[in-house]
Amino acid sequence: MLRISFIFFLLGAIGIGAYYAYSFYSFTSKIQNPGTATSMPEWTGKERVNILLLGVDKRENEESTRSDSILIASIDPETKKAQLFSILRDSWVEIPGYRKSRINTAYEIGGPELMAQTVENLTGLSIQYYITTDFKGFEKVVDALGGVDLYVEKDMEYYLYEENGYYDILLKKGQQHLDGRKALQYARFRHDKMGDFSRTERQRKLLKALAEQATSKTSIWKIPSVLEAVSPYVTTNMSPTDMLRLANLAYKLDVKNLQTEQIPPANILREKTVNGAQVIDPREEKTKEYIQELLQNPLNHESGESEKEKVKGSTN
């Protein structure tokens, strides 16, 4: 499951002193994609920066790998404001060079590069960078940060009976201190009436809490241990120079007021059936218009609108 806590932690805490330089460069050399070009798209310091965050459901006994979570961290370097978009994985979209399918299929076909192209087509946002991680990577980040305090809004129970219970989910309602394993369960749960709608909303809630904790003064001192813990589970197309430049920007972000949104929004998407399976029609042009309006006038939109009842009540 992807996990924005990593990117906000990485970008928000780097650059505080020479003590961390060695750890940082050692980390980036481990996670860079072997095929990554050394020269990335030029960033002038004024244009919006969009980072694709992919949480991969990678299991040992399965040949295919799809992106379990798809998020975009969009940063305005001039206002120091950021938005976090979570994309519903059942969105039925055109995959470049392929055909229409669920958006999470793009990763299985062509990895993060094809996923980035597909997300660009859906959102109209230019994706400069991507970061991918898996379940283990997310757990390692949360544990290295010392866990996260979060209110679990309902009892959550689900049993898959695989891998000695690793994929089972068992959480109780109430304020809790979640370790990596429990935080992963919270982010993965979608076995209720609202399914992926409520799951993506919970992911945004959890990741915002982690982002705040990751950029707190008490967590800054944990940088070396976190970087060392997650490096085996992360790949990116960022160069060390890109990370350092973005670090200076992200450290100044107003993370507490991070705006989170579902894509496509509930009042635009339509549910439909394709070959007997339920999918989501994101109505791409309307979704693009919505995103642009939100970025230009963020205060005019409510954050985290994902109630499925609003989908049922909407009309064409």
Side-chain angles (χ1 to χ4, degrees):
M1 205 211 65
L2 68 38
R3 291 73 177 142
I4 198 175
S5 60
F6 165 74
I7 184 60
F8 273 101
F9 178 75
L10 178 64
L11 299 183
I14 301 300
I16 63 171
Y19 171 73
Y20 298 111
Y22 175 80
S23 296
F24 180 69
Y25 277 103
S26 175
F27 169 74
T28 55
S29 67
K30 292 179 181 179
I31 69 173
Q32 270 197 282
N33 202 5
T36 299
T38 56
S39 178
M40 297 301 299
E42 182 180 358
W43 178 38
T44 65
K46 295 181 179 181
E47 64 180 290
R48 179 171 289 274
V49 181
N50 300 303
I51 306 167
L52 181 63
L53 309 169
L54 301 174
V56 179
D57 184 356
K58 186 178 181 180
R59 309 187 188 189
E60 294 183 1
N61 298 326
E62 295 182 359
E63 294 183 2
S64 63
T65 300
R66 297 191 182 190
S67 52
D68 187 63
S69 299
I70 309 164
L71 300 102
I72 305 171
S74 184
I75 303 170
D76 186 333
E78 294 193 299
T79 65
K80 305 300 186 293
K81 300 292 184 181
Q83 285 81 21
L84 172 63
F85 301 111
S86 58
I87 300 177
L88 295 173
R89 64 180 185 176
D90 286 337
S91 298
W92 193 254
V93 299
E94 191 77 37
I95 298 178
Y98 188 59
R99 56 178 171 78
K100 278 201 167 185
S101 186
R102 287 184 172 88
I103 192 168
N104 65 341
T105 306
Y107 186 91
E108 180 183 9
I109 298 170
E113 292 83 5
L114 183 58
M115 176 61 83
Q117 295 178 39
T118 306
V119 169
E120 284 185 347
N121 291 347
L122 171 62
T123 64
L125 297 174
S126 176
I127 303 297
Q128 295 97 332
Y129 307 107
Y130 65 77
I131 294 178
T132 69
T133 188
D134 58 15
F135 290 166
K136 289 293 185 182
F138 177 63
E139 287 187 38
K140 294 291 186 181
V141 169
V142 177
D143 286 337
L145 288 171
V148 60
D149 294 319
L150 194 75
Y151 182 80
V152 178
E153 63 275 10
K154 63 192 294 184
D155 289 344
M156 300 178 186
E157 189 171 348
Y158 172 74
Y159 298 97
L160 193 59
Y161 303 107
E162 293 182 7
E163 301 293 328
N164 295 318
Y166 177 75
Y167 298 106
D168 296 347
I169 298 173
L170 185 60
L171 295 171
K172 293 297 182 180
K173 179 180 178 179
Q175 184 70 25
Q176 297 189 41
H177 181 76
L178 304 178
D179 61 10
R181 182 76 172 273
K182 291 295 185 181
L184 177 61
Q185 291 180 21
Y186 180 82
R188 288 182 53 233
F189 185 77
R190 63 185 179 94
H191 305 279
D192 54 19
K193 292 181 179 180
M194 293 174 63
D196 206 37
F197 292 86
S198 58
R199 186 183 77 134
T200 56
E201 188 170 6
R202 280 191 292 270
Q203 287 178 356
R204 296 193 301 272
K205 173 185 172 182
L206 170 62
L207 300 178
K208 184 176 180 179
L210 282 167
E212 291 181 21
Q213 180 165 328
T215 53
S216 70
K217 293 180 180 179
T218 56
S219 293
I220 285 176
W221 305 105
K222 299 178 182 178
I223 290 176
S225 62
V226 173
L227 298 186
E228 186 65 27
V230 302
S231 60
Y233 309 99
V234 175
T235 59
T236 183
N237 65 343
M238 285 187 188
S239 69
T241 301
D242 293 324
M243 289 187 179
L244 286 173
R245 291 164 63 204
L246 287 172
N248 292 328
L249 168 63
Y251 190 64
K252 302 172 185 177
L253 292 180
D254 185 7
V255 178
K256 289 187 177 180
N257 292 316
L258 175 68
Q259 186 176 16
T260 68
E261 298 287 341
Q262 171 189 290
I263 298 297
N267 61 339
I268 289 179
L269 66 85
R270 298 290 181 267
E271 293 181 296
K272 66 179 184 179
T273 302
V274 177
N275 298 326
Q278 274 204 324
V279 297
I280 292 170
D281 177 7
R283 302 169 76 192
E284 294 183 11
E285 291 307 314
K286 288 187 175 294
T287 291
K288 290 176 184 177
E289 292 174 5
Y290 172 83
I291 292 174
Q292 288 305 312
E293 171 65 20
L294 185 149
L295 294 179
Q296 293 172 17
N297 304 287
L299 296 180
N300 293 341
H301 297 264
E302 293 184 2
S303 178
E305 183 181 29
S306 63
E307 294 85 350
K308 195 170 183 180
E309 286 76 7
K310 295 182 181 180
V311 179
K312 295 179 180 179
S314 60
T315 59
N316 290 316

